[in-house]
Amino acid sequence: MLGIVDIIGGTVLALYGFDAFSGNAFVLLLSLVILIKGLSSYLMAVANRFYLDLMGIADILSGLMLLSLFFGLGAFFFPYAGIILSLKGFYSLVMDVVQ
C-alpha cells in the first residue's frame, strides 16, 4: 500500500511544473503521509542503531519537496527526485508481492 503512495508522490514530483499542485489539498496530504512514513522509518532505524536508513531519508526529503510544491516552490531537480521516489515505490511494491 505504501509503495503506491510513493509512486503517486514520485509522479507528482516528476510533474512539478504544473501550477495545479500549488495549494492543492491532495499534495499536502500526500506530503504529510510520506513525511510521517519517512520519519517513522528513520526513527525505528535509529532505535536499532542503524543511522543510514536511505529509504527513510529519501521519504523525508521527498515529503519536504512535496510540501514545498504545495507552497508553490519548485526546483530543477524535483523530476529526478520524483523518478527515484517512484522507483523506490515500485521496489517496495514488488518486494511486498514477492514476500
Side-chain angles (χ1 to χ4, degrees), residues 27-99:
V27 174
L28 177 64
L29 180 66
L30 189 62
S31 69
L32 292 177
V33 167
I34 291 176
L35 192 59
I36 290 169
K37 180 173 72 110
L39 283 172
S40 66
S41 172
Y42 187 72
L43 290 176
M44 284 192 288
V46 167
N48 290 323
R49 298 183 189 264
F50 180 65
Y51 301 104
L52 192 62
D53 178 26
L54 294 178
M55 291 213 180
I57 293 170
D59 280 340
I60 292 169
L61 292 175
S62 299
L64 291 174
M65 286 183 223
L66 283 166
L67 193 61
S68 70
L69 277 183
F70 172 75
F71 290 113
L73 303 172
F76 69 93
F77 57 87
F78 278 17
Y80 303 113
I83 292 169
I84 291 171
L85 184 63
S86 292
L87 289 175
K88 183 179 122 9
F90 281 120
Y91 172 77
S92 298
L93 195 64
V94 167
M95 293 310 290
D96 284 343
V97 169
V98 169
Q99 292 178 355

